[in-house]
Amino acid sequence: MANRYLTFAPPILHVVAHNELVLLDTRSNRFILYDAVATGEIMRGIYGNATGPLVQELTAEGVLVASRIKTSVNRSGAPGLDDFTWSESVRYKASQHLGGPSLKQVGGAVLTLAKTCLLVKYLDLSRLLAVDRNVSTPMQRVDRGIIDAEISALLRAAQYLPCKVACLEFSLALRERLARHGLFGRVEIGVQTYSFMAHAWLELNGQPVGEPDHVSRSLHRLRGSA
């Protein structure tokens, strides 16, 4: 084991920010934060230099797996945000995407959000995000009117549902709604370490949809091992 490299298992998303590691185990939808000392031990294990108790524990849990080659670690120097909340995201969406959705669109949005809430509750996040990895269809020219209408429809739909609708549920539902128009997006998840927060959003062609640009630039994006 000491002479082999390690890497994060496919269901594990990670980022090292300010010398501290953040993991998201998409099998259990659980975030794990490590301080600089623990992060250093894990990094040494990944690069094949040592296998301390923590590395052995993570290997036993299937968080770390053996690798024949040295894989790159996702590192971020993003500055972070100050108290950005889902409520602020909703207000931004409502003010910037003033679409006039039809009753049919709102009804469709209600069904999509209800289904998404159930999927988030009962399925591993790894299965929900796996859709993004297989999308290779080039995005057609973006119609701002379609995006505005679908975001507005989802905002209205959220008012009629008893389930929790936050950034993850909204982003997954928006991805599905826009895919119906041939617009294939990717759900991103970012974090900041102090004070800890996590936020999900949708991107089309690398651009955030329904979010201020500074949000995606300020958060540390989680990635799988390369």
Side-chain angles (χ1 to χ4, degrees):
M1 176 67 75
N3 295 324
R4 288 192 295 179
Y5 298 117
L6 295 173
T7 189
F8 293 110
I12 307 299
L13 303 181
H14 75 281
V15 66
V16 175
H18 310 300
N19 297 318
E20 296 186 334
L21 174 66
V22 179
L23 299 182
L24 171 57
D25 188 338
T26 60
R27 299 167 298 187
S28 60
N29 300 353
R30 180 170 63 110
F31 285 98
I32 313 170
L33 284 68
Y34 296 96
D35 63 20
V37 174
T39 298
E41 179 182 341
I42 295 169
M43 292 301 106
R44 288 191 294 274
I46 287 175
Y47 296 142
N49 297 324
T51 54
L54 178 57
V55 172
Q56 293 175 8
E57 178 184 341
L58 293 177
T59 302
E61 293 176 353
V63 173
L64 291 172
V65 295
S67 175
R68 294 181 179 179
I69 61 173
K70 183 185 294 186
T71 56
S72 61
V73 173
N74 176 38
R75 298 180 182 273
S76 171
L81 290 170
D82 290 326
D83 300 323
F84 183 78
T85 65
W86 171 236
S87 297
E88 291 178 68
S89 179
V90 169
R91 288 195 293 271
Y92 178 87
K93 290 175 172 60
S95 65
Q96 298 297 317
H97 298 276
L98 303 174
S102 64
L103 289 177
K104 181 179 179 180
Q105 284 177 307
V106 174
V110 168
L111 294 176
T112 300
L113 264 181
K115 180 184 73 174
T116 300
C117 288
L118 289 174
L119 292 175
V120 169
K121 183 176 181 179
Y122 292 110
L123 290 185
D124 295 348
L125 185 56
S126 57
R127 296 180 62 181
L128 299 178
L129 296 179
V131 177
D132 289 331
R133 301 181 189 129
N134 298 323
V135 171
S136 58
T137 306
M139 190 186 75
Q140 62 183 240
R141 189 169 181 269
V142 176
D143 185 332
R144 174 64 184 260
I146 290 175
I147 293 176
D148 288 347
E150 291 295 356
I151 289 177
S152 295
L154 286 170
L155 289 174
R156 294 187 188 182
Q159 300 174 14
Y160 302 115
L161 294 174
C163 62
K164 170 191 173 184
V165 177
C167 57
L168 179 60
E169 291 83 3
F170 194 95
S171 299
L172 291 169
L174 181 59
R175 180 184 65 182
E176 179 176 332
R177 299 301 303 172
L178 292 183
R180 296 169 182 262
H181 302 282
L183 301 174
F184 300 101
R186 176 187 176 92
V187 175
E188 295 282 356
I189 300 177
V191 299
Q192 72 173 20
T193 53
Y194 295 108
S195 57
F196 181 79
M197 66 157 287
H199 184 59
W201 67 95
L202 187 73
E203 290 193 353
L204 293 173
N205 271 0
Q207 299 298 315
V209 178
E211 298 288 345
D213 288 340
H214 76 274
V215 172
S216 61
R217 292 196 306 267
S218 300
L219 294 176
H220 310 293
R221 296 177 187 235
L222 296 168
R223 290 284 185 264
S225 291

